[in-house]
């Protein structure tokens, strides 16, 4: 076996020459896929579509896919994002069409663009827009609850995390909260710039 020189990668892979950013939707029954299931689906689709994706170095290389802001399991979404590194330049629209055809119905690639320069994708997304459907409650009650919530400067809730109980100010993360009577839904823009994007914990759609 050939020895690896000091400072060199084992089993080096071709370099990344282009990064393509994809926006995809998670619809219908596929909203119940976990983020890991979505990632596996994209890795298989990359192979089926023949996209020249770059891989990590080493003896167990993986496609260079970067994810940000994954919607929670069970929530439909119109705005999921992933970046992929390519070993040669390709028209982003060709990548979008090939990936959309290779992915199952319900994981739909709706837009693509070449990712140019900093900041990184995670630094570009500072808020998310959510629609939460409320059933079995009169519109007036929903509107009253929204008004009471937005009137507060702070609303602290306790969440159970792997490291124990943690208090979170959910009011600080909400920029706007509106009621849409025609569907008895709340539309929220969550997280101000500089804050970590918060995710609702009820049936939602991100768009």
């Amino acid at each position: 076996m050939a020895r690896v020189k000091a400072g060199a990668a084992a089993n080096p892979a071709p370099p990344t020459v282009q990064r393509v950013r994809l926006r995809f939707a998670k619809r219908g029954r596929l909203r119940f896929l976990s983020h890991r299931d979505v990632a596996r689906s994209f890795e298989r689709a990359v192979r089926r579509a023949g996209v020249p994706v770059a891989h990590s170095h080493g003896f167990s290389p993986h496609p260079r896919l970067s994810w940000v802001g994954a919607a929670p399991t069970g929530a439909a979404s119109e705005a999921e994002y992933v970046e992929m590194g390519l070993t040669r330049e390709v028209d982003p629209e060709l990548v979008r069409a090939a990936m959309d055809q290779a992915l199952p119905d319900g994981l739909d690639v709706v837009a693509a663009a070449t990712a140019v320069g900093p900041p990184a994708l995670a630094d570009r997304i500072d808020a998310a827009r959510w629609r939460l459907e409320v059933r079995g409650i009169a519109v007036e009650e929903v509107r009253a609850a929204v008004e009471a919530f937005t009137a507060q400067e702070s609303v602290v809730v306790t969440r159970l995390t792997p490291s124990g109980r943690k208090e979170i100010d959910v009011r600080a993360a909400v920029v706007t909260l509106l009621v849409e009577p025609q569907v008895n839904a709340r539309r929220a823009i969550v997280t101000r710039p500089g804050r970590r994007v918060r995710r609702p914990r009820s049936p939602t759609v991100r768009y």
Side-chain angles (χ1 to χ4, degrees), residues 129-135 137-144 146-147 176-189 205 207:
R129 180 180 297 166
W130 298 86
R131 174 175 292 165
L132 300 85
E133 294 189 5
V134 182
R135 301 177 182 178
I137 303 177
V139 174
E140 292 75 16
E141 292 184 52
V142 176
R143 184 175 287 111
V146 167
E147 291 175 354
T176 60
L177 184 60
L178 306 172
V179 178
E180 298 178 332
Q182 65 272 22
V183 293
N184 200 15
R186 294 171 291 172
R187 177 179 293 181
I189 298 178
V205 176
Y207 59 100

Side-chain angles (χ1 to χ4, degrees), residues 46-69:
V46 162
R47 294 192 293 269
R48 287 196 295 266
V51 176
V53 67
H55 287 74
S56 60
H57 300 299
F59 297 104
S60 182
H62 299 282
R64 290 194 179 275
L65 304 178
S66 301
W67 306 85
V68 64

Side-chain angles (χ1 to χ4, degrees), residues 149 153-157 167-174 195 198:
F149 177 83
E153 292 186 0
S154 176
V155 178
V156 178
V157 300
E167 290 189 343
I168 300 174
D169 183 4
V170 294
R171 177 63 186 91
V174 178
R195 298 183 182 271
R198 300 290 182 194

Side-chain angles (χ1 to χ4, degrees), residues 18 20 22 86 88-98 112-114:
Q18 180 188 14
V20 173
L22 303 179
L86 305 182
R88 60 181 174 85
E89 293 193 6
V90 182
D91 184 342
E93 175 57 25
L94 295 179
V95 176
R96 185 207 66 78
T114 298

